[in-house]
Amino acid sequence: MSFSGQGKKLGSGDNDDMGIIARLSRAVSDSPITDVTKRAASDAAYVTKKLLKSTGKAAWYAGTTFLVLIVPLIIEMDREQQFTDMELQQQSLLGSPPPLSPPK
């Protein structure tokens, strides 16, 4: 018994050395849609990088402004509250009545 198609792969077409996955992969990677998609992904990555960079700068500006302007104000308000509490404590130790709050 001899087979005339011995040595050939079943279902092989013009490209005997390429499998179906390789042919499909090459067809997809050579398509113009792939080029457009790659370009869009590259543009999106560029925009994201720029956005993150400018967001980082804005966060730096906000953080330093907070440290320079707001933190000293908070510290001063805390000192004032401590001073007021100390005055009330001294007045109560000396026996004088606490100051009346202004009428509302």
Side-chain angles (χ1 to χ4, degrees), residues 53-79:
K53 190 174 182 181
S54 44
T55 302
K57 284 182 181 180
W60 173 257
Y61 293 148
T64 53
T65 301
F66 179 77
L67 287 175
V68 169
L69 297 176
I70 305 300
V71 171
L73 177 65
I74 292 171
I75 292 171
E76 186 59 35
M77 289 171 62
D78 187 47
R79 283 184 186 165

Side-chain angles (χ1 to χ4, degrees), residues 39-91:
R39 199 170 325 121
S42 175
D43 292 344
Y46 176 76
V47 168
T48 303
K49 182 179 175 183
K50 286 288 192 179
L51 182 65
L52 287 175
K53 190 174 182 181
S54 44
T55 302
K57 284 182 181 180
W60 173 257
Y61 293 148
T64 53
T65 301
F66 179 77
L67 287 175
V68 169
L69 297 176
I70 305 300
V71 171
L73 177 65
I74 292 171
I75 292 171
E76 186 59 35
M77 289 171 62
D78 187 47
R79 283 184 186 165
E80 182 68 29
Q81 183 63 41
Q82 287 177 355
F83 182 70
T84 305
D85 290 344
M86 187 178 66
E87 282 182 337
L88 287 174
Q89 183 182 15
Q90 284 178 352
Q91 286 178 359

